[in-house]
């Protein structure tokens, strides 16, 4: 009886492995994607597969971490960064298929709080509130949204006041976790995270005024060593198509071809 | 070299090791001495941190310690702030993360102590405290050292939990492994190499202390240790 169970378990595992192998045999397009895209990309990958039959998989990390992986030979086909500087660095290292990164979206920074916090309807003024003890941001030295958050803090003249209150997450998805779990009182996070079902249910956000931080221009580069270069380029075109740009806007980003790319929301 | 991070890391590892020994010795003694039927279950639970990816473990701790849970709210009410993003928070995370490394050697070591000696001591009226203090601990000394060293080293090398629970605050939660991660991300290979070498040197020295000692065989009364 016991042996029967073991056999069954082994068969299940074998089947699972075989299914996995069958998928890898189709050589998916491998995408290195900035962490703010984690809630954004899955439906787009599905739409792409539905339209082209090409399977694409994404790995999410901070743009800096992905760049380090790519420069050290990680086998990605396409890099979707949260800014232009990291893809530019990949290109400078001779690893880009193009000479310039291609902008595919603009990021939006928001201030998010939990509904059961002291500030259920956040305003920028809460950053001046002494009752604010901990503010989550992404790593300002390595994550573009973190850089934007620091710029906004500086723009409000709050650098000194907030320095000791900042808790730094490795990437923007984690900054959202810090705030969502109530460990930080508030978070300067991406709108892509703020509009996800989990965060919409738990709290609310206010868009950080555009003038406070430099535009977060999110850039992409197809990698020169890619074996799936054609498909990777096809995905990037797909991502920049009007339909997908509209999808990006619904997910909290801004379309690159929009006439008022940075109007107030 | 980030000396502040090095000091913080050593402090975290020391505090964690002390706490783990205080928890794991009674636990291992209970496993050895009690006839409880839930020993197996307890041991299995104590080994679980081995299985969970550290970042997942860190995330669960983040949720548990945050204001979403009653536990987290109670802690925040007492401290005035949530436990995450503080040294104390890292100690909690590290203790959970390194627990199996303290428990396993001790359970094995106590288990190898001669049944007859334990029985004799108990027949002569020794209580649990005396059995642990005068039989188990002295005879399983090597296991105690192993448990302490492995807990210490595992905490020094801890990354995922600290990443999830730390918030990268210099002097409070920025440990050496986080510094190393940042240096790698900054393409600062030279600094990263220095930090790695330091970590490796430190660990190798400690492991040599552990493994270069003459093998004393089973932890019985006859295996006297001359060092």
């Amino acid at each position: 009886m016991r042996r029967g169970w073991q056999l069954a378990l082994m068969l299940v595992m074998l089947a699972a492995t075989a299914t996995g192998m069958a998928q890898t045999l189709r050589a998916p397009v491998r995408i290195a994607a900035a962490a703010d895209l984690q809630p954004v990309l899955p439906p787009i990958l599905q739409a792409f597969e539905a339209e082209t039959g090409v399977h694409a998989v994404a790995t999410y990390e901070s743009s800096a971490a992905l760049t380090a992986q790519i420069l050290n030979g990680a086998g990605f086909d396409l890099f979707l960064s949260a800014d232009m500087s990291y893809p530019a660095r990949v290109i400078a290292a001779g690893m880009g298929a193009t000479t310039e990164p291609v902008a595919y979206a603009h990021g939006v920074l928001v201030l998010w709080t939990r509904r059961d916090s002291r500030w259920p309807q956040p305003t920028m003024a809460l950053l001046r509130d002494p009752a604010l003890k901990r503010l989550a941001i992404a790593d300002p030295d390595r994550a573009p949204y973190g850089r934007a958050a620091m710029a906004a803090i500086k723009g409000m003249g709050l650098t000194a006041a907030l320095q000791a209150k900042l808790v730094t997450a490795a990437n923007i998805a984690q900054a959202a976790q810090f705030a969502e779990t109530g460990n930080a009182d508030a978070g300067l996070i991406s709108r892509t995270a703020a509009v996800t079902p989990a965060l919409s249910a738990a709290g609310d956000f206010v868009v950080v005024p555009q003038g406070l931080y430099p535009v977060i221009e999110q850039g992409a580069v197809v990698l020169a060593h890619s074996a799936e270069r054609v498909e990777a380029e096809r995905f990037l075109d797909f991502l920049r198509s009007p339909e997908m740009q509209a999808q990006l806007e619904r997910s909290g980003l801004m379309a690159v071809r929009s006439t008022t790319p940075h109007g107030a929301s | 070299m980030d000396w502040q991070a090095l000091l913080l890391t050593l402090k975290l590892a020391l505090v964690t090791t002390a706490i783990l020994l205080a928890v794991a010795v009674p636990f291992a003694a209970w496993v050895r001495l009690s006839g409880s039927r839930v020993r197996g279950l307890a041991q299995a639970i104590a080994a679980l941190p081995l299985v969970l990816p550290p970042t997942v473990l860190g995330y669960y701790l983040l949720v548990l310690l945050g204001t979403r849970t009653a536990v987290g709210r109670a802690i925040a009410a007492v401290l005035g702030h949530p436990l995450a993003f503080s040294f104390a928070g890292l100690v909690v995370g590290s203790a959970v993360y390194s627990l199996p490394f303290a428990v396993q050697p001790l359970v094995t070591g106590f288990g190898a102590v001669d049944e007859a000696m334990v029985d004799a001591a108990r027949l002569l009226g020794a209580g649990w405290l005396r059995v642990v203090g005068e039989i188990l601990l002295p005879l399983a000394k090597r296991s105690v050292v192993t448990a302490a060293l492995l807990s210490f080293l595992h905490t020094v090398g801890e990354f995922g939990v600290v990443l999830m629970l730390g918030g990268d605050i210099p002097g409070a939660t920025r440990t050496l492994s986080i510094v190393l991660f940042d240096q790698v991300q900054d393409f600062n290979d030279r600094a990263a190499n220095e930090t790695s070498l330091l970590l490796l040197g430190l660990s190798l020295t400690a492991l040599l202390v552990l493994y270069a000692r003459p093998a004393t065989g089973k932890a019985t009364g006859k295996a006297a240790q001359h060092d």
Side-chain angles (χ1 to χ4, degrees):
Chain A
M1 192 61 203
R2 199 187 167 96
R3 184 158 293 170
W5 275 109
Q6 284 177 350
L7 199 65
L9 191 67
M10 271 176 64
L11 281 174
V12 169
M13 285 167 78
L14 260 175
T17 319
T19 320
M21 278 170 68
Q23 274 185 350
T24 43
L25 282 178
R26 289 211 310 254
V29 176
R30 294 196 54 199
I31 301 170
D36 72 313
L37 297 176
Q38 195 155 0
V40 177
L41 226 41
I44 295 178
L45 297 178
Q46 269 182 9
F48 182 64
E49 184 163 0
E51 190 169 307
T52 63
V54 177
H55 186 58
V57 291
T59 303
Y60 304 97
E61 252 298 350
S62 74
S63 301
L66 292 168
T67 304
Q69 290 174 3
I70 290 167
L71 293 184
N72 285 293
F76 292 113
D77 302 304
L78 174 65
F79 176 27
L80 299 176
S81 173
D83 76 347
M84 299 297 266
S85 82
Y86 288 106
R89 200 189 270 262
V90 168
I91 290 167
M95 298 177 84
T98 49
T99 52
E100 293 283 334
V102 180
Y104 63 89
H106 288 164
V108 179
L109 187 69
V110 303
L111 178 62
W112 188 92
T113 55
R114 282 185 63 83
R115 203 152 285 140
D116 57 14
S117 74
R118 188 185 289 259
W119 310 271
Q121 266 135 22
T123 63
M124 294 305 288
L126 80 84
L127 293 179
R128 302 182 192 281
D129 192 334
L132 180 79
K133 296 282 182 254
R134 277 163 170 168
L135 176 66
I137 60 169
D139 188 339
D141 297 325
R142 295 164 196 97
Y145 279 94
R147 201 183 306 149
M150 279 312 281
I153 288 168
K154 194 176 169 200
M156 291 178 73
L158 291 172
T159 311
L162 287 177
Q163 194 61 53
K165 299 180 174 182
L166 296 179
V167 287
T168 309
N171 56 55
I172 196 65
Q174 203 194 346
Q177 274 177 3
F178 283 175
E180 198 266 334
T181 54
N183 286 288
D185 301 315
L188 283 168
I189 64 176
S190 68
R191 189 165 66 182
T192 61
V195 300
T196 56
L199 266 73
S200 317
D204 211 341
F205 67 89
V206 57
V207 173
V208 175
Q210 235 342 282
L212 282 177
Y213 63 96
V215 173
I216 305 175
E217 193 171 30
Q218 302 205 183
V221 63
V222 173
L223 298 172
H225 303 302
S226 164
E228 304 295 327
R229 205 162 133 176
V230 175
E231 302 300 349
E233 277 161 5
R234 197 165 160 199
F235 178 80
L236 190 51
D237 287 342
F238 182 74
L239 187 61
R240 286 161 48 84
S241 69
E243 294 81 13
M244 287 308 117
Q245 288 288 308
Q247 168 75 26
L248 288 182
E249 296 231 339
R250 284 193 292 278
S251 307
L253 289 164
M254 286 197 156
V256 273
R257 287 165 186 172
S258 143
T259 43
T260 52
H262 285 283
S265 79
Chain B
M1 177 55 58
D2 191 333
W3 298 108
Q4 190 186 33
L6 174 65
L7 274 179
L8 177 75
T9 306
L10 295 179
K11 185 173 136 197
L12 176 67
L14 264 180
V15 173
T16 304
T17 304
I19 290 175
L20 278 179
L21 284 183
V23 171
V25 167
F27 178 79
W30 173 74
V31 169
R32 174 69 178 81
L33 299 175
S34 87
S36 172
R37 296 173 75 179
V38 294
R39 280 182 306 176
L41 179 66
Q43 273 183 270
I45 291 172
L48 276 183
L50 282 176
V51 180
L52 282 183
T55 43
V56 174
L57 189 64
Y59 176 68
Y60 285 142
L61 283 168
L62 193 67
V63 172
L64 179 74
L65 300 178
T67 53
R68 256 162 61 177
T69 67
V71 176
R73 281 193 295 273
I75 294 172
V78 172
L79 296 179
H81 59 81
L83 202 52
F85 319 129
S86 68
F87 182 75
L90 283 197
V91 171
V92 171
S94 307
V96 173
Y97 174 66
S98 296
L99 180 69
F101 290 80
V103 166
Q104 301 295 344
L106 286 171
V107 168
T108 313
F110 288 179
V113 171
D114 199 343
E115 186 77 46
M117 296 194 73
V118 176
D119 286 346
R122 287 179 130 181
L123 279 174
L124 292 171
W128 275 43
L129 266 182
R130 274 194 83 183
V131 172
V132 174
E134 294 178 24
I135 310 270
L136 292 185
L137 280 178
L139 292 183
K141 203 163 65 180
R142 199 184 159 92
S143 300
V144 179
V145 175
T146 306
L149 262 179
L150 288 184
S151 304
F152 185 87
L153 289 174
H154 196 238
T155 307
V156 167
E158 175 182 8
F159 174 70
V161 175
V162 178
L163 186 78
M164 294 303 292
L165 214 52
D168 199 13
I169 299 164
T173 61
R174 182 181 288 171
T175 61
L176 216 50
S177 60
I178 298 288
V179 169
L180 184 52
F181 179 59
D182 288 347
Q183 286 166 343
V184 169
Q185 286 201 85
D186 291 342
F187 315 101
N188 190 349
D189 286 352
R190 196 199 154 116
N193 291 345
E194 279 175 19
T195 310
S196 298
L197 269 178
L198 181 84
L199 267 178
L200 289 175
L202 193 83
S203 312
L204 186 64
T205 312
L207 288 168
L208 274 175
V209 170
L210 182 62
Y211 292 113
R213 293 146 56 104
T216 49
K218 288 203 181 77
T220 62
K222 280 151 265 168
Q225 291 172 7
H226 306 280
D227 55 352

